[in-house]
Amino acid sequence: MGERVDGVIERLTSVETKVDSLAATMDRRFDEVAAGLGEQRRYTDFAYERLNGKISRLDDRVSRLDDKVSRLDDKASRLDDRMSTIEKEMHSGFAQMDQIFLRLDQKLDQLIDRA
């Protein structure tokens, strides 16, 4: 029976060695996966920071463009107001000219009738 116990002990030792070897291999693999995940995380953080910087710069440019468009709109509004004023003045001036030509026409008619 001693030989049988020795055989079982030998087999258990062999199994224990294999389990230890498998555990070491799994630990190595998990370390490799963890390192890969860490590398991926660093790359993702780097890409996010770059993208965030670009978005921030784009946002600044859009804000500046919005300010320029707003100033342009204000200038166009002032120009429109000025053109309306000029148009009113022209209509008023033409109406005065019509009155002057009407009086001149009447005076010419009176001169023609006297002659």
Side-chain angles (χ1 to χ4, degrees):
M1 184 147 175
E3 284 181 27
R4 202 172 159 148
V5 171
D6 288 340
V8 170
I9 291 174
E10 191 176 307
R11 285 199 65 154
L12 285 175
T13 303
S14 174
V15 169
E16 182 182 16
T17 302
K18 288 179 182 180
V19 168
D20 287 344
S21 175
L22 181 59
T25 300
M26 288 177 64
D27 285 344
R28 235 184 1 264
R29 296 289 170 107
F30 282 131
D31 289 344
E32 290 170 1
V33 169
L37 290 174
E39 179 67 25
Q40 185 64 40
R41 176 59 188 224
R42 285 188 295 278
Y43 176 75
T44 301
D45 289 345
F46 169 75
Y48 174 79
E49 290 301 320
R50 277 190 69 184
L51 180 60
N52 195 34
K54 287 182 179 186
I55 289 172
S56 180
R57 287 189 299 276
L58 181 61
D59 189 44
D60 290 344
R61 290 175 70 187
V62 168
S63 292
R64 287 194 308 270
L65 182 60
D66 189 45
D67 290 344
K68 288 179 182 181
V69 168
S70 181
R71 287 193 306 270
L72 183 60
D73 189 42
D74 290 343
K75 287 180 181 181
S77 181
R78 287 193 306 268
L79 180 61
D80 189 43
D81 291 345
R82 176 114 170 113
M83 293 301 290
S84 292
T85 302
I86 290 171
E87 185 179 4
K88 289 175 186 173
E89 290 173 357
M90 285 177 58
H91 284 297
S92 175
F94 287 140
Q96 289 175 356
M97 285 178 58
D98 283 344
Q99 291 296 321
I100 292 170
F101 282 130
L102 182 62
R103 283 190 308 238
L104 184 61
D105 193 33
Q106 289 171 348
K107 287 184 181 187
L108 283 174
D109 283 343
Q110 286 175 356
L111 284 173
I112 291 173
D113 285 344
R114 285 189 196 164

